[in-house]
Amino acid sequence: MRRKNISDYQAFIAVAREQSFTKAAAQLGVSQSALSYTVRTLEAHLGLRLLTRTTRSVAVTEAGERLLMRIGPHFDGIEQEIAAISGLRDKPAGLVRITAVEHAAETLLWPKLAPLLRNYPDINIEILSDYGRKDIVAERFDAGVRLGEQVNKDMISMPLAADSHFAVVGAPAYFTDKNRPLTPHDLSAHSCIRLRLPTHGGVYSWQFYQHGNEISVRVEGRATFNTLRMMRQAALDGLGLAYLPLNEVEPMLNDGHLVQVLGDWCPPRPAYHLYYPSRRQHSPAFMLVLEALRYRR
């Protein structure tokens, strides 16, 4: 491989993994036009079409897929080794990427990682909030955060907090002309504020437990969102019932702006866990992140 072409291969890997010139250009810190020219130059050098481009999408060709599978892991290994030897310096450095659901990112990750960034100016942290179940290896994340029950068994995981609690809540005004539900089945008579997720067939089903019985309810309602904050606001506005983490609504319950129902059906659920692959050699920066996030009972 000629030295001048190494950056061309890195550019191709970024575009192939992101399936987008725009996203890959932002990741590499170059212009989209420059990145497109680099990939075309590489294709001309190899005499092969690596990517199929349309006005709306980018797809990897058979040749491109084979090249990505063969050289991608080697480039990853080089980056990991460079990150690892940075620990030989006086100060740990490097980028740590984490994918997490919005609630965990805001309430668990950032409060603990903000002080770390202040203490270690050479460490960079990227947190991407996403409800989809990412392949953290393929998408080059160092770690992910999900509820313990959702973590794959081949990952190392550690709890980030105690077991979590959820609550069904509504504004007092909502109950002016409606009876409070006594069982999850009563929700069919109520307008529910729904959460749209990419991993639950579109709309999240509410989960309830009592005396060893588990009930999953697909609720109906006029308002659907993909963020917890919007769901909470819709509940405060009296537009229906919302199913939310208890710590997101506890202040509103205490001051009477929201009312909890079905409390007996909402026992603790498995805590959020940070998970990461066991086979990857981790940088000193990542080890500091792990220590900062470790849950101490």
Side-chain angles (χ1 to χ4, degrees), residues 34-55:
L35 182 59
S36 179
Y37 175 79
T38 298
V39 174
R40 288 199 305 270
T41 300
L42 177 61
E43 289 177 322
H45 172 72
L46 296 175
L48 293 168
R49 175 66 65 87
L50 302 176
L51 300 170
T52 299
R53 308 160 179 82
T54 69
T55 57

Side-chain angles (χ1 to χ4, degrees), residues 14-296:
V15 176
R17 285 174 168 168
E18 294 291 342
Q19 295 188 356
S20 165
F21 277 92
T22 302
K23 293 180 180 179
Q27 180 188 115
L28 297 172
V30 300
S31 69
Q32 186 174 341
S33 59
L35 182 59
S36 179
Y37 175 79
T38 298
V39 174
R40 288 199 305 270
T41 300
L42 177 61
E43 289 177 322
H45 172 72
L46 296 175
L48 293 168
R49 175 66 65 87
L50 302 176
L51 300 170
T52 299
R53 308 160 179 82
T54 69
T55 57
R56 294 186 177 181
S57 65
V58 176
V60 184
T61 66
E62 181 179 356
E65 184 68 30
R66 181 172 178 179
L67 181 63
L68 178 64
M69 292 178 61
R70 297 296 288 271
I71 71 172
H74 295 292
F75 276 90
D76 291 343
I78 292 170
E79 291 184 1
Q80 291 163 21
E81 289 301 325
I82 292 174
I85 64 172
S86 69
L88 299 176
R89 305 187 325 179
D90 293 336
K91 297 180 180 180
L95 172 65
V96 177
R97 302 182 72 232
I98 305 174
T99 174
V101 295
E102 167 201 11
H103 179 237
E106 293 182 354
T107 62
L108 295 174
L109 297 187
W110 186 242
K112 293 183 176 181
L113 294 181
L116 181 73
L117 288 178
R118 285 193 289 268
N119 293 331
Y120 294 92
D122 293 327
I123 292 178
N124 299 323
I125 292 175
E126 182 176 339
I127 300 174
L128 298 183
S129 295
D130 193 328
Y131 284 101
R133 294 186 182 179
K134 295 282 190 183
D135 183 337
I136 61 173
V137 176
E139 300 192 38
R140 305 179 75 194
F141 286 97
D142 295 284
V145 176
R146 294 295 183 270
L147 291 174
E149 61 194 14
Q150 299 174 344
V151 176
N152 292 335
K153 301 301 182 184
D154 62 344
M155 293 284 171
I156 296 176
S157 70
M158 70 176 194
L160 297 179
D163 288 348
S164 59
H165 291 256
F166 280 72
V168 179
V169 298
Y174 173 78
F175 295 107
T176 301
D177 57 353
K178 295 179 179 64
N179 294 323
R180 299 186 184 188
L182 300 178
T183 73
H185 300 293
D186 296 336
L187 293 172
S188 60
H190 288 267
S191 177
C192 296
I193 300 161
R194 307 188 305 169
L195 176 67
R196 184 171 295 282
L197 299 180
T199 56
H200 287 78
V203 175
Y204 179 67
S205 296
W206 296 8
Q207 308 297 319
F208 299 97
Y209 307 86
Q210 189 180 73
H211 307 310
N213 297 319
E214 178 178 348
I215 297 177
S216 179
V217 180
R218 291 188 64 84
V219 296
E220 299 296 332
R222 298 168 55 207
T224 303
F225 304 99
N226 68 347
T227 69
L228 302 185
R229 290 184 182 180
M230 290 297 297
M231 294 176 64
R232 183 179 63 189
Q233 187 59 51
L236 287 167
D237 292 336
L239 295 178
L241 301 179
Y243 182 80
L244 294 165
L246 181 59
N247 62 357
E248 286 285 317
V249 296
E250 208 157 21
M252 295 81 174
L253 293 173
N254 292 336
D255 63 22
H257 286 99
L258 289 175
V259 175
Q260 183 177 3
V261 296
L262 299 175
D264 292 342
W265 287 89
C266 299
R269 298 182 61 184
Y272 284 115
H273 281 61
L274 182 111
Y275 64 95
Y276 53 95
S278 59
R279 64 180 180 274
R280 177 175 291 178
Q281 182 174 355
H282 300 293
S283 67
F286 181 73
M287 300 307 294
L288 283 171
V289 167
L290 282 185
E291 189 59 28
L293 295 177
R294 193 174 304 280
Y295 172 54
R296 295 168 175 82

